[in-house]
Amino acid sequence: MNKKLNLPGIAALSIAILFGMLMASACRSSVPGASDKKSKRTPDYVFTYAENQTSDYPTTQAARYFAGLVNEKTEGRIEIRVYPAAELGDEVSTMEQMKYGGIDFARGSLSSLADYSPESVVLQMPYLYKNADHMWRVLDGEIGGDIMESFQGSGLKALAWFDAGVRNFYTIDKPISCLEDMRGLEIRVQDSSLAKDMIKALGATPVPMVYEDVGDALQTHTVDGAENNWSSYEAMKHDAYARYYSLDEHMRIPELLIMSEVTWGKLSTEDQDIILKCAVEAGNYERKLWKMREDSSRQKCIKSGTVEIALSDREKQRFRTEMNELYEKYCGDYMDIIDKIASAASLA
Ligand code: GCU
């Protein structure tokens, strides 16, 4: 039998298939941080990236975005595998491993990086910034650049700033509405001398422990409370045990996308340049995600029972006054930088 070819039908089918393929590839390259951006070639390098936050957290999403960009821009020569939720260890031990090239990349809170850049303490002093704009003005300017530079030779290379919002106190039994409410409380802090001294200056007792253990410590009432930003409070489910969240806004601790200097030294200048550019893009991406997450975390917690306590400006000033001794102790050598940061407040 003489079968007639249905040419318009075949053409339509081919167009549909072609369209489908184009759409699939367009979607692949437009999904930020999607792992399917990975090139098919065998990579020359497979690097590790440590993150102590959950998989959906803004910093983890930015890590995957960074990994995708680097893989794309190096045409598959560099693959970066992101390990969230402290799979590679807590923040401090991650930095130690990075020093020797055991871990290649990470995102870290500046409070865990004091050993690598002593002057970085100036960027995390309590009640330093008027608001987020003020902080970003400082980080994006000369001071932020100088502090990134100051990591040189420490074993860690600073690549880009990430946002981590503002930290507040939260408690199990009773809300903190004024300075006197802090007295006698046992509060979990990061294992940093600045954080510990801050708690002591406010009349409470610091209990340093790693981030991953805070939920259990709140649940078992080993501590009376802790302090962190809205996103961490919600992501780590601290709201389930400590429902009083007081807006004292004591600290903004910037975060850094960092790289092992050992790993950095293995790369060509071309690849180093790609890494730097992709890190800056990942930083911008994280800032956008951060704003949304901070807001949605707050709403989610309030909906499920968190009591938000506003503090008056006068009360916050009383907290701030208690910090004077810390400025003397930690910033004696850097008062010029503190003054410059303070003068940038009027522009924010
Ligand atoms: C924030 C920060 C973490 C840090 C944690 C902490 O969530 O993003 O990197 O480990 O605070 O309080 O320890």
Side-chain angles (χ1 to χ4, degrees):
M1 223 168 63
N2 189 13
K3 272 194 202 156
K4 254 176 111 190
L5 285 176
N6 177 2
L7 286 175
I10 290 174
L13 187 65
S14 312
I15 289 169
I17 291 172
L18 191 66
F19 183 71
M21 284 163 69
L22 283 173
M23 281 306 287
S25 95
C27 288
R28 261 204 301 280
S29 54
S30 67
V31 178
S35 54
D36 58 1
K37 253 185 175 180
K38 244 190 275 161
S39 152
K40 296 262 184 309
R41 69 161 273 174
T42 310
D44 296 340
Y45 299 103
V46 177
F47 292 139
T48 47
Y49 185 126
E51 185 32 271
N52 74 353
Q53 302 288 7
T54 51
S55 191
D56 67 338
Y57 202 83
T59 54
T60 317
Q61 291 192 54
R64 283 197 291 267
Y65 181 69
F66 172 66
L69 277 179
V70 171
N71 193 255
E72 190 177 85
K73 304 282 181 217
T74 59
E75 290 166 346
R77 280 181 290 104
I78 300 183
E79 182 180 330
I80 299 173
R81 296 191 182 156
V82 179
Y83 295 86
E87 267 179 61
L88 300 183
D90 65 64
E91 207 164 47
V92 173
S93 65
T94 293
M95 311 304 172
E96 278 159 14
Q97 292 187 65
M98 288 181 78
K99 216 170 148 179
Y100 305 101
I103 294 174
D104 304 296
F105 293 89
R107 185 273 321 156
S109 169
L110 217 49
S111 59
S112 305
L113 291 163
D115 289 349
Y116 304 88
S117 157
E119 58 260 62
S120 67
V121 75
V122 294
L123 294 182
Q124 49 180 307
M125 292 304 293
Y127 296 100
L128 177 66
Y129 307 107
K130 192 168 94 180
N131 51 31
D133 286 349
H134 179 199
M135 180 188 78
W136 280 114
R137 186 172 289 276
V138 172
L139 298 182
D140 289 336
E142 199 186 328
I143 298 175
D146 288 349
I147 298 291
M148 282 173 86
E149 283 283 304
S150 71
F151 280 85
Q152 208 177 334
S154 70
L156 303 182
K157 176 151 186 72
L159 300 175
W161 293 111
F162 276 16
D163 203 346
V166 67
R167 294 174 81 103
N168 295 294
F169 289 112
Y170 42 91
T171 39
I172 301 172
D173 290 330
K174 62 183 185 81
I176 297 168
S177 313
C178 61
L179 189 56
E180 286 68 26
D181 292 334
M182 291 292 297
R183 305 263 147 88
L185 293 181
E186 297 201 3
I187 302 286
R188 178 271 168 176
V189 282
Q190 290 171 286
D191 196 0
S192 104
S193 39
L194 174 65
K196 286 184 265 189
D197 282 346
M198 175 187 71
I199 298 294
K200 285 184 205 153
L202 295 172
T205 306
V207 184
M209 73 178 70
V210 297
Y211 186 49
E212 295 70 43
D213 291 345
V214 185
D216 280 352
L218 292 169
Q219 186 177 15
T220 55
H221 213 320
T222 312
V223 290
D224 298 305
E227 49 81 59
N228 219 318
N229 54 56
W230 276 112
S231 313
S232 300
Y233 172 69
E234 179 257 315
M236 300 303 275
K237 304 191 172 31
H238 297 172
D239 60 312
Y241 315 112
R243 65 190 197 102
Y244 298 109
Y245 193 93
S246 300
L247 303 176
D248 62 283
E249 302 188 326
H250 55 269
M251 263 177 175
R252 284 183 186 274
I253 307 184
E255 304 197 337
L256 276 170
L257 169 46
I258 46 176
M259 181 177 183
S260 163
E261 281 188 330
V262 176
T263 310
W264 176 257
K266 289 180 188 165
L267 300 180
S268 65
T269 42
E270 184 205 345
D271 284 346
Q272 289 178 341
D273 195 46
I274 291 176
I275 294 282
L276 284 176
K277 287 190 176 127
C278 295
V280 171
E281 272 197 55
N284 293 336
Y285 181 62
E286 192 270 349
R287 280 187 218 186
K288 287 191 199 123
L289 293 183
W290 181 266
K291 281 199 182 123
M292 291 186 283
R293 176 62 181 250
E294 200 173 35
D295 214 41
S296 66
S297 288
R298 173 177 174 267
Q299 282 172 22
K300 194 169 161 193
C301 290
I302 290 175
K303 206 165 162 203
S304 59
T306 290
V307 182
E308 180 186 61
I309 299 111
L311 265 72
S312 65
D313 285 345
R314 194 182 148 272
E315 200 52 47
K316 277 195 238 168
Q317 186 52 46
R318 293 185 67 219
F319 278 66
R320 167 69 184 86
T321 304
E322 301 300 321
M323 300 297 119
N324 288 343
E325 57 183 273
L326 269 66
Y327 276 79
E328 279 160 33
K329 178 170 172 184
Y330 289 91
C331 305
D333 293 339
Y334 314 117
M335 272 331 266
D336 53 327
I337 309 181
I338 294 291
D339 289 345
K340 279 190 199 155
I341 295 177
S343 54
S346 57
L347 306 165

